Amino acid sequence: MATFDDNWQTKRPNISERTKFIFNNELLSDVKFVAPASNSESESRKSQKSIPAHKFVLAISSPVFYAMFYGEMAETASTIELPDCDYESLLELFRYLYSDEVNLTGSNVMQVLYLAKKYLVPSLAGRCTEYLREHLEASNAFSILPQAQKFEDKDLEERCWNVIELHTEEAVTSDDFVTLERSIVETVVKKERLNVKEVDLFKAVDRWATKEVERQGLTPDGEVKRRVLGEEIVKAIRFPVMSYNEFASVVWDCDILTKRELGVMIKHYGDASLKCPLPFIHSPRSGSIVHRCYRITSAQPTGWGYGGSVDGLGVTASKPIALHGVQHFGTTGGNYSVSLEVKDAQSGLSLAKQTGTHSSEKNDIHSYYGFDVMFNHPVHLEQNKRYEVVSFIRGPRSWAVKEGKSHVEVQGVKFSFSSAGASTNGTDVICGQFPAFLFSLR
């Protein structure tokens, strides 16, 4: 039996320190939980690990544990096996119940969220969903989306769809896309607003169908893939917007389309003026490729602080554009709370606001640290009209523009930048915040 210092209580003057001390500790423990290790491929007892626990601590934190240990049908066994979760995630649930602390990562947050919901710990569930919001990006959107739907978190679900619509190409090429339920794949291809070439969307759908056929133990030929996909998905792919070369080199050999459908498409490509009815939607989706307008010549890693002031910048575009978001500077490992707003410079009317917490990452092109703040819906900016972008930022000192440009041309759009009257933190054309603007052509 383990031995402990007889005076361990006196060395920990408050209750939080004392409960932290007995977390995952056999001292005073009266129950043991057993769960499989997450890195184990077997569910045998050899691959399981145990966690000593205290019924009272668990019961005062969770109504489910209270019923389990003190209800009419109280559990009397000294060891409880939980095959529906892994040891590492269960340990984080208990850590939170003992200390109000939790170590969330991309690999455990889903399981911890599941346990928080199962044992009715809403504050921990809130921590998990907030973590998912902060770390949501195109590469993991299809991992988070099914969980948001399962737990009926409408806000998180909407955020997932926004990311998917804005960064469709990266999302559908992620590893998680091929693991989706068919219903989600159908929802994706039926969306009007997607930021991806139609041929690349088809490639992703074909890849999903191939994996799904393999999961069902079938031979992945064209006829079987067509049956697995279903008519709703196939008819939602807009084959007529593909070029002839894209259609011939990618779609033809997949054998998903029928001979009749192939014949109609060949007639379509052979004579654009031929008004034969097409079995597929022939208008492009409304989503556009999102471009970045970088306004910096160089940046410096330190020196930009936030003391309750506002950073602002004027922007004018020579053509109508849709502004999807604005990039902000950050620092290594920095977390920032941002309130971003776009205003009509002449009337002062607010066109869009976006708030949230963001983590900065290294920019692959310019090697500085920053983060994108994306609007829920793109903001339409009129041709040659001046707007002001303003942000109220809280967080550690960040990188900043060292030498800015007053004029930049991207994709045939000439951007002009100017100082904003609302800027009280020093940002202007030469220095400060807003290294890049994310936009699409209208």
Side-chain angles (χ1 to χ4, degrees):
M1 182 175 179
T3 59
F4 301 94
D5 186 345
D6 290 339
N7 297 321
W8 64 269
Q9 300 94 331
T10 61
K11 298 176 181 178
R12 295 162 180 84
N14 55 61
I15 186 66
S16 63
E17 292 184 9
R18 294 193 288 274
T19 53
K20 280 184 184 180
F21 180 73
I22 62 172
F23 161 66
N24 196 23
N25 194 324
E26 292 185 359
L27 178 65
L28 303 178
S29 171
D30 52 2
V31 67
K32 182 180 295 184
F33 287 82
V34 178
S38 62
N39 58 359
S40 171
E41 297 180 359
S42 169
E43 293 188 1
S44 66
R45 190 170 292 275
K46 289 182 180 180
S47 65
Q48 294 179 327
K49 300 179 71 174
S50 64
I51 304 174
H54 308 77
K55 294 179 180 180
F56 174 74
V57 176
L58 301 184
I60 63 173
S61 303
S62 160
V64 176
F65 282 128
Y66 178 83
M68 179 185 295
F69 298 127
Y70 300 103
E72 294 182 1
M73 303 294 290
E75 178 65 63
T76 58
S78 60
T79 299
I80 299 173
E81 295 191 8
L82 297 179
D84 65 334
C85 67
D86 60 66
Y87 164 83
E88 289 78 8
S89 299
L90 183 62
L91 190 66
E92 291 310 314
L93 169 68
F94 287 172
R95 185 191 310 279
Y96 186 79
L97 300 184
Y98 279 76
S99 67
D100 290 330
E101 298 174 358
V102 62
N103 299 325
L104 296 176
T105 65
S107 60
N108 73 16
V109 62
M110 295 298 188
Q111 183 72 210
V112 176
L113 177 58
Y114 163 74
L115 292 172
K117 294 284 188 177
K118 176 181 178 180
Y119 292 104
L120 300 181
V121 189
S123 56
L124 176 57
R127 288 273 197 97
C128 293
T129 54
E130 184 61 29
Y131 178 92
L132 291 172
R133 291 188 186 98
E134 293 177 0
H135 293 80
L136 175 63
E137 53 190 25
S139 61
N140 62 20
F142 281 123
S143 171
I144 297 173
L145 175 62
Q147 301 301 319
Q149 294 177 330
K150 176 181 178 181
F151 297 123
E152 298 182 344
D153 189 327
K154 297 300 183 183
D155 177 69
L156 182 57
E157 180 181 356
E158 182 179 356
R159 288 171 183 256
C160 288
W161 282 122
N162 286 335
V163 169
I164 291 166
E165 290 177 353
L166 287 172
H167 306 284
T168 314
E169 182 177 2
E170 185 179 352
V172 299
T173 55
S174 67
D175 293 338
D176 293 316
F177 183 78
V178 297
T179 68
L180 294 174
E181 295 289 336
R182 183 195 168 281
S183 60
I184 297 181
V185 177
E186 181 177 332
T187 301
V188 172
V189 298
K190 285 185 173 180
K191 284 201 169 281
E192 178 65 27
R193 191 166 75 102
L194 292 178
N195 193 6
V196 64
K197 293 179 65 175
E198 203 68 25
V199 67
D200 292 329
L201 179 61
F202 173 77
K203 288 178 182 178
V205 169
D206 181 56
R207 189 166 60 96
W208 177 89
T210 301
K211 289 292 185 181
E212 180 62 22
V213 168
E214 292 174 354
R215 284 190 286 266
Q216 296 183 19
L218 304 173
T219 302
D221 58 36
E223 182 179 350
V224 174
K225 287 193 288 186
R226 172 82 177 229
R227 187 168 66 249
V228 167
L229 285 170
E231 294 305 301
E232 292 292 321
I233 290 179
V234 175
K235 297 296 185 182
I237 300 294
R238 305 186 181 190
F239 297 103
V241 306
M242 299 181 191
S243 70
Y244 172 75
N245 287 336
E246 290 172 338
F247 185 85
S249 62
V250 176
V251 179
W252 190 280
D253 291 335
C254 290
D255 294 327
I256 288 178
L257 299 187
T258 65
K259 290 183 178 179
R260 180 181 178 279
E261 290 166 341
L262 290 172
V264 171
M265 288 300 300
I266 291 301
K267 290 181 180 179
H268 165 72
Y269 289 117
D271 186 353
S273 64
L274 191 64
K275 300 300 182 183
C276 60
L278 292 172
F280 308 104
I281 300 173
H282 53 81
S283 59
R285 300 179 193 269
S286 61
S288 303
I289 302 298
V290 176
H291 307 283
R292 288 178 181 264
C293 170
Y294 290 99
R295 74 174 193 93
I296 66 172
T297 300
S298 62
Q300 56 187 14
T302 58
W304 207 258
Y306 308 102
S309 300
V310 172
D311 288 281
L313 190 70
V315 57
T316 304
S318 64
K319 294 181 180 180
I321 65 168
L323 183 64
H324 293 266
V326 180
Q327 188 179 57
H328 292 63
F329 280 113
T331 191
T332 309
N335 293 312
Y336 296 85
S337 175
V338 179
S339 177
L340 170 66
E341 185 174 12
V342 177
K343 297 180 178 180
D344 183 315
Q346 184 174 359
S347 66
L349 180 66
S350 177
L351 303 181
K353 292 182 180 180
Q354 192 70 37
T355 60
T357 304
H358 305 268
S359 300
S360 60
E361 298 179 349
K362 191 173 184 179
N363 184 281
D364 293 333
I365 297 177
H366 293 283
S367 298
Y368 57 73
Y369 280 82
F371 55 90
D372 297 337
V373 179
M374 307 297 291
F375 297 109
N376 288 334
H377 302 286
V379 184
H380 287 184
L381 304 188
E382 300 301 326
Q383 178 179 354
N384 295 325
K385 187 172 183 179
R386 187 172 178 274
Y387 300 86
E388 288 192 355
V389 175
V390 295
S391 282
F392 181 76
I393 307 168
R394 290 193 180 278
R397 297 178 72 86
S398 74
W399 282 67
V401 173
K402 183 178 180 181
E403 185 179 351
K405 301 177 181 179
S406 59
H407 300 280
V408 180
E409 183 170 349
V410 181
Q411 296 295 316
V413 181
K414 295 179 181 179
F415 289 85
S416 300
F417 301 103
S418 56
S419 299
S423 184
T424 59
N425 197 41
T427 290
D428 57 22
V429 177
I430 302 301
C431 63
Q433 266 290 346
F434 314 125
F437 290 77
L438 289 73
F439 73 100
S440 61
L441 303 175
R442 287 169 53 194

